[in-house]
Amino acid sequence: TNNKMEEKKVGEGASGAEKGNPPTIKRPQGVKRRRNPTQRDPNAPKRPCTAYQLFFSEASERLRSNQPDMKFSEVSRGLAAQWTGKTPEEKQPYVELAERDKERHTREMGEYQKTDSYKQFISAMQAKSEAASKADSEPEKEKGKPAAESEAPPTSSKPTPISLQQDFVPGTDIPIFTEHFLKYNREMESEVRKLRQANSQLEEDNALLSRHVENMQTAVRRMQADIEQQQTRNAALKDHLEKIRRVTSAAFCDTPLPGTSDTPTQDNIDSYMGKLQVIIASDPEKHNGLVAMVKNVAQQLMKEFQSQTHDDQDTTDQV
């Protein structure tokens, strides 16, 4: 009976081969199918979330807080139904958040691919793939196997090598994970260091210039204060000079210059006093009257000046 069953199986295998189908070979018990899972890099940036994942994360927290005893399967089914029933306009905020998260992942992944951790991970994956390929290329030992199994055509158990996405440096035709790429990366790092040094020098120069500008601004403010103070002093002196001219011209209005009929006014008081000084200096004894008049006017002006100074001081103290 066993021989007949074996002949029947062989006959079925032969008939299948005649029809163009390969003979069926059963895998021995206890031997599992070899898988080639892609190992994730623990140091890589977090993967971007989809719009549904963002909606699920937000809505599940709200639903769990309201119904803490609800099972996870019920939460998943309920939120899936809610998401399906939403309109494109209602889904748009989550779609925009997912796009921003995708841009974040692309940016962080680009920065991470420049680090040593990423290079070490890729090297380890390549070494593991080469080791697996080398192990599968060795002939399998046939010890302890039945004759029927040893004669059966061997099944291909060679794992698919880990697929490394062949990518290029943005803006160039340089493929990554190559010697050319590593050389290009070293050159770029050297250029970045130079730029950072130049940037540091520029920042120091900028700080120095900022201090110079602050010192100049302080000096300008001080000069402006001095100018305003000087203008105030000049205005006071001008008022005092006008007062002296007014008082002097009033005092000598009836006193013409000796030998002339010229009397002083506020317009010609300066030239009048200059001529009067020349006349008195030429013969002081002859013009004792004019000298006494000049002294009286000078004393009168001094008293008024002292009185005005005292009033100004009191006003300043009150302020």
PDB file of all heavy atoms in Angstrom, residues 40-74:
ATOM      1  N   ARG A  40      15.490  48.749  11.267  1.00  0.00           N
ATOM      2  CA  ARG A  40      15.341  50.197  11.400  1.00  0.00           C
ATOM      3  C   ARG A  40      16.516  50.769  12.179  1.00  0.00           C
ATOM      4  O   ARG A  40      17.037  50.143  13.102  1.00  0.00           O
ATOM      5  CB  ARG A  40      14.033  50.527  12.109  1.00  0.00           C
ATOM      6  CG  ARG A  40      12.797  50.154  11.321  1.00  0.00           C
ATOM      7  CD  ARG A  40      11.557  50.625  12.020  1.00  0.00           C
ATOM      8  NE  ARG A  40      11.568  52.075  12.188  1.00  0.00           N
ATOM      9  CZ  ARG A  40      10.606  52.753  12.806  1.00  0.00           C
ATOM     10  NH1 ARG A  40       9.582  52.117  13.327  1.00  0.00           N
ATOM     11  NH2 ARG A  40      10.689  54.062  12.922  1.00  0.00           N
ATOM     12  N   ASP A  41      16.891  51.943  11.791  1.00  0.00           N
ATOM     13  CA  ASP A  41      17.976  52.659  12.462  1.00  0.00           C
ATOM     14  C   ASP A  41      17.413  53.337  13.701  1.00  0.00           C
ATOM     15  O   ASP A  41      16.553  54.228  13.596  1.00  0.00           O
ATOM     16  CB  ASP A  41      18.583  53.692  11.507  1.00  0.00           C
ATOM     17  CG  ASP A  41      19.815  54.360  12.100  1.00  0.00           C
ATOM     18  OD1 ASP A  41      20.160  54.042  13.248  1.00  0.00           O
ATOM     19  OD2 ASP A  41      20.442  55.176  11.394  1.00  0.00           O
ATOM     20  N   PRO A  42      17.867  52.949  14.909  1.00  0.00           N
ATOM     21  CA  PRO A  42      17.290  53.564  16.120  1.00  0.00           C
ATOM     22  C   PRO A  42      17.633  55.041  16.267  1.00  0.00           C
ATOM     23  O   PRO A  42      16.956  55.759  16.994  1.00  0.00           O
ATOM     24  CB  PRO A  42      17.908  52.735  17.261  1.00  0.00           C
ATOM     25  CG  PRO A  42      19.175  52.186  16.681  1.00  0.00           C
ATOM     26  CD  PRO A  42      18.891  51.946  15.224  1.00  0.00           C
ATOM     27  N   ASN A  43      18.692  55.488  15.587  1.00  0.00           N
ATOM     28  CA  ASN A  43      19.096  56.900  15.704  1.00  0.00           C
ATOM     29  C   ASN A  43      18.479  57.784  14.633  1.00  0.00           C
ATOM     30  O   ASN A  43      18.709  58.993  14.624  1.00  0.00           O
ATOM     31  CB  ASN A  43      20.623  57.005  15.626  1.00  0.00           C
ATOM     32  CG  ASN A  43      21.300  56.279  16.765  1.00  0.00           C
ATOM     33  OD1 ASN A  43      20.828  56.300  17.895  1.00  0.00           O
ATOM     34  ND2 ASN A  43      22.426  55.623  16.481  1.00  0.00           N
ATOM     35  N   ALA A  44      17.742  57.170  13.698  1.00  0.00           N
ATOM     36  CA  ALA A  44      17.152  57.949  12.604  1.00  0.00           C
ATOM     37  C   ALA A  44      16.020  58.824  13.124  1.00  0.00           C
ATOM     38  O   ALA A  44      15.416  58.528  14.163  1.00  0.00           O
ATOM     39  CB  ALA A  44      16.634  57.014  11.519  1.00  0.00           C
ATOM     40  N   PRO A  45      15.720  59.934  12.444  1.00  0.00           N
ATOM     41  CA  PRO A  45      14.601  60.787  12.873  1.00  0.00           C
ATOM     42  C   PRO A  45      13.277  60.035  12.836  1.00  0.00           C
ATOM     43  O   PRO A  45      13.118  59.047  12.118  1.00  0.00           O
ATOM     44  CB  PRO A  45      14.622  61.939  11.841  1.00  0.00           C
ATOM     45  CG  PRO A  45      15.992  61.923  11.279  1.00  0.00           C
ATOM     46  CD  PRO A  45      16.441  60.501  11.290  1.00  0.00           C
ATOM     47  N   LYS A  46      12.357  60.483  13.635  1.00  0.00           N
ATOM     48  CA  LYS A  46      11.033  59.868  13.697  1.00  0.00           C
ATOM     49  C   LYS A  46      10.345  59.983  12.346  1.00  0.00           C
ATOM     50  O   LYS A  46      10.376  61.013  11.694  1.00  0.00           O
ATOM     51  CB  LYS A  46      10.195  60.560  14.775  1.00  0.00           C
ATOM     52  CG  LYS A  46       8.813  59.971  14.932  1.00  0.00           C
ATOM     53  CD  LYS A  46       8.032  60.737  15.997  1.00  0.00           C
ATOM     54  CE  LYS A  46       6.616  60.184  16.118  1.00  0.00           C
ATOM     55  NZ  LYS A  46       5.823  60.931  17.113  1.00  0.00           N
ATOM     56  N   ARG A  47       9.708  58.864  11.929  1.00  0.00           N
ATOM     57  CA  ARG A  47       9.035  58.860  10.634  1.00  0.00           C
ATOM     58  C   ARG A  47       7.843  59.811  10.636  1.00  0.00           C
ATOM     59  O   ARG A  47       7.209  60.019  11.675  1.00  0.00           O
ATOM     60  CB  ARG A  47       8.565  57.440  10.299  1.00  0.00           C
ATOM     61  CG  ARG A  47       9.716  56.467  10.026  1.00  0.00           C
ATOM     62  CD  ARG A  47       9.188  55.120   9.606  1.00  0.00           C
ATOM     63  NE  ARG A  47      10.269  54.197   9.295  1.00  0.00           N
ATOM     64  CZ  ARG A  47      10.081  52.951   8.873  1.00  0.00           C
ATOM     65  NH1 ARG A  47       8.848  52.478   8.734  1.00  0.00           N
ATOM     66  NH2 ARG A  47      11.119  52.183   8.603  1.00  0.00           N
ATOM     67  N   PRO A  48       7.492  60.365   9.475  1.00  0.00           N
ATOM     68  CA  PRO A  48       6.360  61.301   9.439  1.00  0.00           C
ATOM     69  C   PRO A  48       5.037  60.576   9.640  1.00  0.00           C
ATOM     70  O   PRO A  48       4.885  59.412   9.265  1.00  0.00           O
ATOM     71  CB  PRO A  48       6.461  61.905   8.026  1.00  0.00           C
ATOM     72  CG  PRO A  48       7.172  60.871   7.227  1.00  0.00           C
ATOM     73  CD  PRO A  48       8.140  60.199   8.155  1.00  0.00           C
ATOM     74  N   CYS A  49       4.113  61.260  10.244  1.00  0.00           N
ATOM     75  CA  CYS A  49       2.782  60.712  10.481  1.00  0.00           C
ATOM     76  C   CYS A  49       1.872  61.044   9.311  1.00  0.00           C
ATOM     77  O   CYS A  49       2.011  62.088   8.667  1.00  0.00           O
ATOM     78  CB  CYS A  49       2.191  61.268  11.775  1.00  0.00           C
ATOM     79  SG  CYS A  49       3.097  60.801  13.267  1.00  0.00           S
ATOM     80  N   THR A  50       0.928  60.152   9.043  1.00  0.00           N
ATOM     81  CA  THR A  50      -0.078  60.413   8.024  1.00  0.00           C
ATOM     82  C   THR A  50      -1.183  61.274   8.619  1.00  0.00           C
ATOM     83  O   THR A  50      -1.258  61.485   9.832  1.00  0.00           O
ATOM     84  CB  THR A  50      -0.655  59.103   7.499  1.00  0.00           C
ATOM     85  OG1 THR A  50      -1.311  58.419   8.583  1.00  0.00           O
ATOM     86  CG2 THR A  50       0.446  58.205   6.925  1.00  0.00           C
ATOM     87  N   ALA A  51      -2.054  61.752   7.743  1.00  0.00           N
ATOM     88  CA  ALA A  51      -3.163  62.578   8.219  1.00  0.00           C
ATOM     89  C   ALA A  51      -4.071  61.775   9.148  1.00  0.00           C
ATOM     90  O   ALA A  51      -4.544  62.282  10.171  1.00  0.00           O
ATOM     91  CB  ALA A  51      -3.955  63.111   7.027  1.00  0.00           C
ATOM     92  N   TYR A  52      -4.304  60.497   8.817  1.00  0.00           N
ATOM     93  CA  TYR A  52      -5.164  59.672   9.677  1.00  0.00           C
ATOM     94  C   TYR A  52      -4.513  59.417  11.030  1.00  0.00           C
ATOM     95  O   TYR A  52      -5.178  59.417  12.060  1.00  0.00           O
ATOM     96  CB  TYR A  52      -5.476  58.343   8.985  1.00  0.00           C
ATOM     97  CG  TYR A  52      -6.275  57.406   9.856  1.00  0.00           C
ATOM     98  CD1 TYR A  52      -7.609  57.667  10.153  1.00  0.00           C
ATOM     99  CD2 TYR A  52      -5.677  56.283  10.416  1.00  0.00           C
ATOM    100  CE1 TYR A  52      -8.341  56.819  10.973  1.00  0.00           C
ATOM    101  CE2 TYR A  52      -6.402  55.435  11.244  1.00  0.00           C
ATOM    102  CZ  TYR A  52      -7.734  55.699  11.517  1.00  0.00           C
ATOM    103  OH  TYR A  52      -8.453  54.866  12.337  1.00  0.00           O
ATOM    104  N   GLN A  53      -3.190  59.197  11.043  1.00  0.00           N
ATOM    105  CA  GLN A  53      -2.513  58.977  12.314  1.00  0.00           C
ATOM    106  C   GLN A  53      -2.611  60.202  13.214  1.00  0.00           C
ATOM    107  O   GLN A  53      -2.797  60.083  14.429  1.00  0.00           O
ATOM    108  CB  GLN A  53      -1.044  58.622  12.060  1.00  0.00           C
ATOM    109  CG  GLN A  53      -0.846  57.241  11.469  1.00  0.00           C
ATOM    110  CD  GLN A  53       0.593  56.980  11.100  1.00  0.00           C
ATOM    111  OE1 GLN A  53       1.373  57.918  10.915  1.00  0.00           O
ATOM    112  NE2 GLN A  53       0.968  55.715  10.974  1.00  0.00           N
ATOM    113  N   LEU A  54      -2.477  61.373  12.637  1.00  0.00           N
ATOM    114  CA  LEU A  54      -2.609  62.596  13.434  1.00  0.00           C
ATOM    115  C   LEU A  54      -4.035  62.745  13.978  1.00  0.00           C
ATOM    116  O   LEU A  54      -4.236  63.106  15.137  1.00  0.00           O
ATOM    117  CB  LEU A  54      -2.237  63.808  12.582  1.00  0.00           C
ATOM    118  CG  LEU A  54      -0.768  63.881  12.141  1.00  0.00           C
ATOM    119  CD1 LEU A  54      -0.570  65.008  11.132  1.00  0.00           C
ATOM    120  CD2 LEU A  54       0.138  64.101  13.343  1.00  0.00           C
ATOM    121  N   PHE A  55      -5.015  62.447  13.124  1.00  0.00           N
ATOM    122  CA  PHE A  55      -6.413  62.495  13.574  1.00  0.00           C
ATOM    123  C   PHE A  55      -6.657  61.461  14.667  1.00  0.00           C
ATOM    124  O   PHE A  55      -7.290  61.749  15.688  1.00  0.00           O
ATOM    125  CB  PHE A  55      -7.336  62.253  12.390  1.00  0.00           C
ATOM    126  CG  PHE A  55      -8.741  61.875  12.787  1.00  0.00           C
ATOM    127  CD1 PHE A  55      -9.627  62.824  13.270  1.00  0.00           C
ATOM    128  CD2 PHE A  55      -9.160  60.554  12.692  1.00  0.00           C
ATOM    129  CE1 PHE A  55     -10.916  62.460  13.654  1.00  0.00           C
ATOM    130  CE2 PHE A  55     -10.438  60.194  13.076  1.00  0.00           C
ATOM    131  CZ  PHE A  55     -11.324  61.143  13.558  1.00  0.00           C
ATOM    132  N   PHE A  56      -6.140  60.246  14.477  1.00  0.00           N
ATOM    133  CA  PHE A  56      -6.345  59.171  15.447  1.00  0.00           C
ATOM    134  C   PHE A  56      -5.713  59.524  16.790  1.00  0.00           C
ATOM    135  O   PHE A  56      -6.303  59.292  17.851  1.00  0.00           O
ATOM    136  CB  PHE A  56      -5.759  57.865  14.909  1.00  0.00           C
ATOM    137  CG  PHE A  56      -6.038  56.675  15.780  1.00  0.00           C
ATOM    138  CD1 PHE A  56      -7.188  55.931  15.608  1.00  0.00           C
ATOM    139  CD2 PHE A  56      -5.155  56.307  16.785  1.00  0.00           C
ATOM    140  CE1 PHE A  56      -7.457  54.833  16.410  1.00  0.00           C
ATOM    141  CE2 PHE A  56      -5.416  55.220  17.594  1.00  0.00           C
ATOM    142  CZ  PHE A  56      -6.573  54.473  17.416  1.00  0.00           C
ATOM    143  N   SER A  57      -4.497  60.088  16.768  1.00  0.00           N
ATOM    144  CA  SER A  57      -3.818  60.442  18.012  1.00  0.00           C
ATOM    145  C   SER A  57      -4.598  61.498  18.791  1.00  0.00           C
ATOM    146  O   SER A  57      -4.732  61.412  20.019  1.00  0.00           O
ATOM    147  CB  SER A  57      -2.408  60.941  17.704  1.00  0.00           C
ATOM    148  OG  SER A  57      -1.763  61.356  18.870  1.00  0.00           O
ATOM    149  N   GLU A  58      -5.115  62.490  18.060  1.00  0.00           N
ATOM    150  CA  GLU A  58      -5.854  63.563  18.735  1.00  0.00           C
ATOM    151  C   GLU A  58      -7.204  63.075  19.236  1.00  0.00           C
ATOM    152  O   GLU A  58      -7.587  63.319  20.389  1.00  0.00           O
ATOM    153  CB  GLU A  58      -6.039  64.731  17.763  1.00  0.00           C
ATOM    154  CG  GLU A  58      -6.873  65.860  18.315  1.00  0.00           C
ATOM    155  CD  GLU A  58      -7.126  66.940  17.277  1.00  0.00           C
ATOM    156  OE1 GLU A  58      -6.428  66.948  16.249  1.00  0.00           O
ATOM    157  OE2 GLU A  58      -8.036  67.763  17.499  1.00  0.00           O
ATOM    158  N   ALA A  59      -7.944  62.359  18.376  1.00  0.00           N
ATOM    159  CA  ALA A  59      -9.301  61.950  18.740  1.00  0.00           C
ATOM    160  C   ALA A  59      -9.304  60.842  19.778  1.00  0.00           C
ATOM    161  O   ALA A  59     -10.200  60.775  20.629  1.00  0.00           O
ATOM    162  CB  ALA A  59     -10.053  61.504  17.489  1.00  0.00           C
ATOM    163  N   SER A  60      -8.308  59.930  19.730  1.00  0.00           N
ATOM    164  CA  SER A  60      -8.293  58.825  20.690  1.00  0.00           C
ATOM    165  C   SER A  60      -8.056  59.331  22.109  1.00  0.00           C
ATOM    166  O   SER A  60      -8.654  58.821  23.066  1.00  0.00           O
ATOM    167  CB  SER A  60      -7.218  57.814  20.293  1.00  0.00           C
ATOM    168  OG  SER A  60      -5.930  58.409  20.328  1.00  0.00           O
ATOM    169  N   GLU A  61      -7.188  60.325  22.274  1.00  0.00           N
ATOM    170  CA  GLU A  61      -6.975  60.885  23.608  1.00  0.00           C
ATOM    171  C   GLU A  61      -8.256  61.515  24.153  1.00  0.00           C
ATOM    172  O   GLU A  61      -8.597  61.345  25.327  1.00  0.00           O
ATOM    173  CB  GLU A  61      -5.855  61.913  23.557  1.00  0.00           C
ATOM    174  CG  GLU A  61      -4.488  61.328  23.254  1.00  0.00           C
ATOM    175  CD  GLU A  61      -3.405  62.381  23.220  1.00  0.00           C
ATOM    176  OE1 GLU A  61      -3.757  63.564  23.457  1.00  0.00           O
ATOM    177  OE2 GLU A  61      -2.237  62.034  22.956  1.00  0.00           O
ATOM    178  N   ARG A  62      -8.947  62.219  23.267  1.00  0.00           N
ATOM    179  CA  ARG A  62     -10.201  62.838  23.708  1.00  0.00           C
ATOM    180  C   ARG A  62     -11.250  61.780  24.044  1.00  0.00           C
ATOM    181  O   ARG A  62     -11.976  61.891  25.046  1.00  0.00           O
ATOM    182  CB  ARG A  62     -10.700  63.776  22.612  1.00  0.00           C
ATOM    183  CG  ARG A  62     -11.945  64.554  22.995  1.00  0.00           C
ATOM    184  CD  ARG A  62     -12.269  65.631  21.976  1.00  0.00           C
ATOM    185  NE  ARG A  62     -12.468  65.073  20.648  1.00  0.00           N
ATOM    186  CZ  ARG A  62     -11.618  65.198  19.641  1.00  0.00           C
ATOM    187  NH1 ARG A  62     -10.475  65.869  19.835  1.00  0.00           N
ATOM    188  NH2 ARG A  62     -11.872  64.680  18.456  1.00  0.00           N
ATOM    189  N   LEU A  63     -11.321  60.727  23.218  1.00  0.00           N
ATOM    190  CA  LEU A  63     -12.310  59.674  23.442  1.00  0.00           C
ATOM    191  C   LEU A  63     -11.963  58.857  24.678  1.00  0.00           C
ATOM    192  O   LEU A  63     -12.840  58.484  25.462  1.00  0.00           O
ATOM    193  CB  LEU A  63     -12.379  58.769  22.200  1.00  0.00           C
ATOM    194  CG  LEU A  63     -13.522  57.754  22.155  1.00  0.00           C
ATOM    195  CD1 LEU A  63     -14.861  58.472  22.216  1.00  0.00           C
ATOM    196  CD2 LEU A  63     -13.423  56.910  20.886  1.00  0.00           C
ATOM    197  N   ARG A  64     -10.698  58.565  24.896  1.00  0.00           N
ATOM    198  CA  ARG A  64     -10.288  57.801  26.070  1.00  0.00           C
ATOM    199  C   ARG A  64     -10.532  58.575  27.367  1.00  0.00           C
ATOM    200  O   ARG A  64     -10.837  57.998  28.415  1.00  0.00           O
ATOM    201  CB  ARG A  64      -8.814  57.438  25.953  1.00  0.00           C
ATOM    202  CG  ARG A  64      -8.536  56.239  25.058  1.00  0.00           C
ATOM    203  CD  ARG A  64      -9.084  54.967  25.709  1.00  0.00           C
ATOM    204  NE  ARG A  64      -8.782  53.787  24.931  1.00  0.00           N
ATOM    205  CZ  ARG A  64      -7.642  53.106  25.034  1.00  0.00           C
ATOM    206  NH1 ARG A  64      -6.704  53.526  25.852  1.00  0.00           N
ATOM    207  NH2 ARG A  64      -7.464  52.008  24.335  1.00  0.00           N
ATOM    208  N   SER A  65     -10.348  59.909  27.316  1.00  0.00           N
ATOM    209  CA  SER A  65     -10.590  60.711  28.511  1.00  0.00           C
ATOM    210  C   SER A  65     -12.065  60.738  28.886  1.00  0.00           C
ATOM    211  O   SER A  65     -12.424  60.775  30.063  1.00  0.00           O
ATOM    212  CB  SER A  65     -10.086  62.141  28.294  1.00  0.00           C
ATOM    213  OG  SER A  65     -10.792  62.749  27.229  1.00  0.00           O
ATOM    214  N   ASN A  66     -12.946  60.665  27.862  1.00  0.00           N
ATOM    215  CA  ASN A  66     -14.388  60.656  28.121  1.00  0.00           C
ATOM    216  C   ASN A  66     -14.889  59.258  28.465  1.00  0.00           C
ATOM    217  O   ASN A  66     -15.805  59.113  29.270  1.00  0.00           O
ATOM    218  CB  ASN A  66     -15.145  61.200  26.911  1.00  0.00           C
ATOM    219  CG  ASN A  66     -14.817  62.655  26.630  1.00  0.00           C
ATOM    220  OD1 ASN A  66     -14.476  63.403  27.552  1.00  0.00           O
ATOM    221  ND2 ASN A  66     -14.898  63.068  25.378  1.00  0.00           N
ATOM    222  N   GLN A  67     -14.307  58.217  27.843  1.00  0.00           N
ATOM    223  CA  GLN A  67     -14.731  56.838  28.076  1.00  0.00           C
ATOM    224  C   GLN A  67     -13.496  55.976  28.349  1.00  0.00           C
ATOM    225  O   GLN A  67     -13.002  55.280  27.455  1.00  0.00           O
ATOM    226  CB  GLN A  67     -15.500  56.308  26.853  1.00  0.00           C
ATOM    227  CG  GLN A  67     -16.751  57.119  26.526  1.00  0.00           C
ATOM    228  CD  GLN A  67     -17.477  56.594  25.304  1.00  0.00           C
ATOM    229  OE1 GLN A  67     -17.149  55.530  24.792  1.00  0.00           O
ATOM    230  NE2 GLN A  67     -18.476  57.331  24.854  1.00  0.00           N
ATOM    231  N   PRO A  68     -12.964  56.026  29.553  1.00  0.00           N
ATOM    232  CA  PRO A  68     -11.708  55.306  29.848  1.00  0.00           C
ATOM    233  C   PRO A  68     -11.837  53.795  29.769  1.00  0.00           C
ATOM    234  O   PRO A  68     -10.847  53.098  29.593  1.00  0.00           O
ATOM    235  CB  PRO A  68     -11.366  55.770  31.266  1.00  0.00           C
ATOM    236  CG  PRO A  68     -12.654  56.215  31.852  1.00  0.00           C
ATOM    237  CD  PRO A  68     -13.469  56.766  30.721  1.00  0.00           C
ATOM    238  N   ASP A  69     -13.058  53.229  29.914  1.00  0.00           N
ATOM    239  CA  ASP A  69     -13.231  51.777  29.895  1.00  0.00           C
ATOM    240  C   ASP A  69     -13.416  51.233  28.485  1.00  0.00           C
ATOM    241  O   ASP A  69     -13.587  50.017  28.315  1.00  0.00           O
ATOM    242  CB  ASP A  69     -14.448  51.391  30.747  1.00  0.00           C
ATOM    243  CG  ASP A  69     -14.267  51.788  32.207  1.00  0.00           C
ATOM    244  OD1 ASP A  69     -13.102  51.851  32.644  1.00  0.00           O
ATOM    245  OD2 ASP A  69     -15.273  52.037  32.896  1.00  0.00           O
ATOM    246  N   MET A  70     -13.397  52.049  27.497  1.00  0.00           N
ATOM    247  CA  MET A  70     -13.622  51.606  26.113  1.00  0.00           C
ATOM    248  C   MET A  70     -12.399  50.842  25.608  1.00  0.00           C
ATOM    249  O   MET A  70     -11.259  51.238  25.816  1.00  0.00           O
ATOM    250  CB  MET A  70     -13.884  52.835  25.229  1.00  0.00           C
ATOM    251  CG  MET A  70     -14.476  52.505  23.893  1.00  0.00           C
ATOM    252  SD  MET A  70     -14.943  54.023  23.004  1.00  0.00           S
ATOM    253  CE  MET A  70     -15.680  53.316  21.546  1.00  0.00           C
ATOM    254  N   LYS A  71     -12.636  49.718  24.939  1.00  0.00           N
ATOM    255  CA  LYS A  71     -11.553  48.893  24.418  1.00  0.00           C
ATOM    256  C   LYS A  71     -10.878  49.575  23.229  1.00  0.00           C
ATOM    257  O   LYS A  71     -11.492  50.367  22.522  1.00  0.00           O
ATOM    258  CB  LYS A  71     -12.084  47.528  23.990  1.00  0.00           C
ATOM    259  CG  LYS A  71     -12.627  46.703  25.140  1.00  0.00           C
ATOM    260  CD  LYS A  71     -13.086  45.341  24.645  1.00  0.00           C
ATOM    261  CE  LYS A  71     -13.610  44.491  25.802  1.00  0.00           C
ATOM    262  NZ  LYS A  71     -14.070  43.161  25.327  1.00  0.00           N
ATOM    263  N   PHE A  72      -9.615  49.202  23.036  1.00  0.00           N
ATOM    264  CA  PHE A  72      -8.853  49.814  21.949  1.00  0.00           C
ATOM    265  C   PHE A  72      -9.437  49.455  20.586  1.00  0.00           C
ATOM    266  O   PHE A  72      -9.451  50.274  19.659  1.00  0.00           O
ATOM    267  CB  PHE A  72      -7.391  49.378  22.022  1.00  0.00           C
ATOM    268  CG  PHE A  72      -6.529  49.982  20.957  1.00  0.00           C
ATOM    269  CD1 PHE A  72      -6.101  51.293  21.061  1.00  0.00           C
ATOM    270  CD2 PHE A  72      -6.169  49.249  19.830  1.00  0.00           C
ATOM    271  CE1 PHE A  72      -5.320  51.870  20.075  1.00  0.00           C
ATOM    272  CE2 PHE A  72      -5.392  49.815  18.846  1.00  0.00           C
ATOM    273  CZ  PHE A  72      -4.959  51.123  18.961  1.00  0.00           C
ATOM    274  N   SER A  73      -9.918  48.208  20.464  1.00  0.00           N
ATOM    275  CA  SER A  73     -10.512  47.805  19.177  1.00  0.00           C
ATOM    276  C   SER A  73     -11.748  48.621  18.862  1.00  0.00           C
ATOM    277  O   SER A  73     -11.977  49.029  17.717  1.00  0.00           O
ATOM    278  CB  SER A  73     -10.856  46.315  19.221  1.00  0.00           C
ATOM    279  OG  SER A  73     -11.756  46.041  20.297  1.00  0.00           O
ATOM    280  N   GLU A  74     -12.557  48.894  19.892  1.00  0.00           N
ATOM    281  CA  GLU A  74     -13.752  49.715  19.673  1.00  0.00           C
ATOM    282  C   GLU A  74     -13.365  51.149  19.316  1.00  0.00           C
ATOM    283  O   GLU A  74     -13.990  51.780  18.458  1.00  0.00           O
ATOM    284  CB  GLU A  74     -14.615  49.691  20.934  1.00  0.00           C
ATOM    285  CG  GLU A  74     -15.149  48.306  21.280  1.00  0.00           C
ATOM    286  CD  GLU A  74     -15.912  48.309  22.589  1.00  0.00           C
ATOM    287  OE1 GLU A  74     -15.915  49.368  23.264  1.00  0.00           O
ATOM    288  OE2 GLU A  74     -16.495  47.266  22.951  1.00  0.00           O
TER     289      GLU A  74
END
